[in-house]
Amino acid sequence: MVTLLQDRQVPPRDGSVPATVRIEGRELQPTPVFDTYWRFASARQAVYEARLAGRTQPWTDDPILAGHRFTNCYRAADRVSQAVISDVIYQGPQEWEEVFFRTLLFKIFNKESTWELLSREVGEVRWETYDYGAYDQVLSAAFTRGERLYSAAYIVPPPQLGEGRKHRNHLRLLEMMMTSGAPERVVGAATMREAYEVLLGYPALGPFLAYQFTIDLNYAPHLAFSEMDFVVPGPGARDGIRKCFGPAADGIEADVIRYMADSQQEHFTRLRLPFAGLKGRRPLQLIDCQNLFCEVDKYARVAHPDVAGISGRSRIKQAYRQDGTPLRAWFPPKWGLN
């Protein structure tokens, strides 16, 4: 249950930061970063929409946003998610077992070049024809050539399954999942949380990764979970929440994320910020609000250097580099956005 204090059921209409917000029985005092969260979301979405419309730069007059790399407001709109949706899930055989295999194989490495390498060298990526030796040979050769197999976006710890190299243990992990009934249990789950708990039961898949993989699998037509079902805050989101609300929000981060999703229109209206949603129809979901906290944590390192997070990081590592690759915007058909 989320309500604003001071006998208000909606945020103040003068644009000021709400004095206090009550979430799960706690009174939280928003910092200036709280309003920056909404301003960042509006500005970042405007950049995305400008790029999608083919407009030329500059897409923003915000020097922080223009000079550094930030992910999109919507997770599904990001480049890697677009690859998962367009090139992995909805390409190839559509039997659930095959979709599950392809999706998790991609996500374990989370790198388009690794997926392209495997597709080129082993042929069509299929569980039905999967051969550990063939896949290992391709990946080991690339590793020997000095090629990066994994994305730096997040680290997938290697499970200890008897192999000497990280990618070999990950192949064994995927084999374990496929042969122990994970695809059947995920597709048979009654809720997203139940599906998540299936993945959480496997080695090296902690809460954050199991949740992220569940979100990816849920892009497929075989699953119909709402992205408003539940959320697992990652380390970056916890940092952003600390900057928006201080230590008083520790331990209720998932509830804070839900508050942001539930009250988004009120705050965009309060601050007179344009935000029409994805393709003008889809509001921010829990996973998107979670990701936005990660991005606002980074943004606040420059915009609000005096507001402390948890990690103590003070710089934004990645500078913006122009990418000439055409922007894709194709979403799961069940969302009705295409």
Side-chain angles (χ1 to χ4, degrees):
M1 179 66 178
V2 176
T3 56
L4 290 165
L5 295 185
Q6 300 180 334
D7 297 322
R8 286 194 297 262
Q9 295 303 311
V10 295
R13 295 186 179 277
D14 59 0
S16 61
V17 179
T20 316
V21 172
R22 182 182 294 275
I23 301 176
E24 284 301 297
R26 296 190 195 180
E27 294 183 12
L28 307 182
Q29 295 182 335
T31 74
V33 184
F34 176 74
D35 277 359
T36 294
Y37 179 102
W38 303 111
R39 293 191 173 100
F40 173 87
S42 176
R44 183 64 185 86
Q45 184 67 5
V47 169
Y48 171 73
E49 290 169 353
R51 289 190 62 195
L52 205 57
R55 299 187 195 124
T56 56
Q57 293 195 64
W59 298 310
T60 178
D61 58 4
D62 183 324
I64 304 174
L65 197 54
H68 299 87
R69 183 184 177 277
F70 295 96
T71 63
N72 284 305
C73 293
Y74 287 88
R75 182 187 188 272
D78 271 328
R79 178 179 55 80
V80 174
S81 292
Q82 282 290 298
V84 171
I85 295 166
S86 300
D87 300 337
V88 179
I89 292 175
Y90 288 90
Q91 291 291 325
Q94 289 300 295
E95 296 85 359
W96 169 243
E97 186 178 61
E98 296 292 352
V99 171
F100 184 98
F101 175 72
R102 290 198 306 269
T103 304
L104 289 197
L105 177 65
F106 182 101
K107 289 302 297 183
I108 282 171
F109 298 97
N110 207 37
K111 197 169 180 65
E112 290 172 85
S113 59
T114 300
W115 172 260
E116 291 163 0
L117 172 69
L118 284 169
S119 299
R120 185 171 63 249
E121 297 296 326
V122 305
E124 188 175 42
V125 174
R126 299 190 63 165
W127 171 243
E128 185 180 35
T129 57
Y130 168 79
D131 177 78
Y132 169 83
Y135 281 59
D136 173 45
Q137 184 176 9
V138 171
L139 295 171
S140 291
F143 179 81
T144 301
R145 293 192 299 268
E147 297 177 17
R148 289 183 60 181
L149 299 179
Y150 294 85
S151 164
Y154 51 76
I155 297 171
V156 183
Q160 300 304 310
L161 296 176
E163 301 293 346
R165 284 185 178 171
K166 181 178 179 179
H167 74 264
R168 290 174 179 165
N169 280 302
H170 278 138
L171 289 177
R172 294 300 191 197
L173 172 62
L174 187 51
E175 289 176 7
M176 177 190 294
M177 297 174 80
M178 295 302 299
T179 58
S180 63
E184 294 82 0
R185 285 183 286 144
V186 167
V187 80
T191 63
M192 181 184 280
R193 183 181 291 276
E194 189 178 317
Y196 152 82
E197 288 171 351
V198 172
L199 301 185
L200 188 61
Y202 286 90
L205 294 187
F208 180 68
L209 278 179
Y211 177 66
Q212 295 292 320
F213 287 0
T214 304
I215 291 291
D216 286 295
L217 290 169
N218 193 47
Y219 292 146
H222 312 75
L223 302 181
F225 305 126
S226 166
E227 289 190 337
M228 291 296 290
D229 275 4
F230 90 113
V231 67
V232 175
R238 293 178 187 276
D239 242 329
I241 290 168
R242 172 69 68 87
K243 289 181 179 179
C244 285
F245 294 102
D250 291 359
I252 58 167
E253 289 88 351
D255 301 295
V256 170
I257 293 169
R258 183 168 293 280
Y259 165 76
M260 303 298 269
D262 289 345
S263 65
Q264 58 187 282
Q265 193 52 59
E266 295 172 358
H267 291 292
F268 287 130
T269 299
R270 170 176 65 85
L271 295 166
R272 297 181 175 85
L273 296 170
F275 194 90
L278 186 61
K279 295 288 190 81
R281 294 195 291 277
R282 187 177 178 87
L284 294 167
Q285 307 290 295
L286 293 176
I287 181 64
D288 307 314
C289 291
Q290 195 273 161
N291 282 8
L292 276 168
F293 271 121
C294 300
E295 300 310 293
V296 169
D297 164 49
K298 292 188 293 185
Y299 185 92
R301 295 173 197 173
V302 178
H304 302 280
D306 55 323
V307 180
I310 299 171
S311 68
R313 293 174 182 164
S314 59
R315 295 187 305 110
I316 306 174
K317 287 185 179 180
Q318 292 183 298
Y320 173 74
R321 294 192 300 273
Q322 188 167 355
D323 184 356
T325 307
L327 202 62
R328 294 196 283 186
W330 193 83
F331 300 96
K334 59 189 175 183
W335 291 1
L337 299 179
N338 297 321

